[in-house]
Amino acid sequence: MKSAKLDIYINYKGNCREAFQFYEKHLGGKIKMMSTFNDVPDQTNIPEDRKNNILHARIEIGDTVLMGADIPHAETMRSAYLSLRVNSDEEAERIYKLLSEGGEIFMKMEKTFYASRFAMLRDKFGTNWMLLCEQ
């Protein structure tokens, strides 16, 4: 029996496309799929203002799959975090600067007893991140 794979799914408040394109550009991810409500064959129940919203998207970042959609009134990442491990302090600092711009910092990037760099933040898209460069 083939083992299952656990992936992550995030509901966004209308900025899924922007978030995934940002992650692709700055985190080395690769968008594998992105469809809108406009792609649904029967448009009867699709409000006009949602037709360009993301119905389903998929990006691969390293060995991890992140999926998402635009959902009205979504409360993105209320208490969950994506934890991104990097291989150098420089890469941690670079990503920290990118993801924290326009976002909210919960714990600034610093050296800890368990990591040469660690930070917790919410990016401008509402996604919570832990950045970690282990010692």
Side-chain angles (χ1 to χ4, degrees), residues 95-108:
I95 292 171
Y96 175 74
K97 182 177 179 190
L98 286 166
L99 292 179
S100 62
E101 187 176 323
E104 181 181 358
I105 297 170
F106 303 131
M107 183 176 170
K108 66 181 175 69

Side-chain angles (χ1 to χ4, degrees), residues 9-17 34-40 42-57 68-74:
Y9 206 102
I10 300 176
N11 291 328
Y12 292 87
K13 290 183 180 182
N15 57 359
C16 180
R17 177 190 318 275
M34 191 169 287
S35 64
T36 66
F37 284 93
N38 216 19
D39 298 327
V40 174
D42 180 4
Q43 295 282 305
T44 307
N45 295 318
I46 309 293
E48 193 62 37
D49 64 341
R50 294 221 44 225
K51 291 192 176 191
N52 290 320
N53 285 133
I54 300 302
L55 171 67
H56 180 73
D70 287 324
I71 305 297
H73 313 294

Side-chain angles (χ1 to χ4, degrees), residues 84-93 107-119 131-135:
L84 185 62
R85 285 178 289 128
V86 297
N87 295 320
S88 72
D89 293 350
E90 295 77 19
E91 183 69 352
E93 295 285 351
M107 183 176 170
K108 66 181 175 69
M109 178 70 68
E110 62 187 4
K111 181 175 175 40
T112 67
F113 70 93
Y114 54 86
S116 62
R117 292 290 185 278
F118 180 78
L131 302 177
L132 174 69
C133 182
E134 296 176 322
Q135 295 177 340

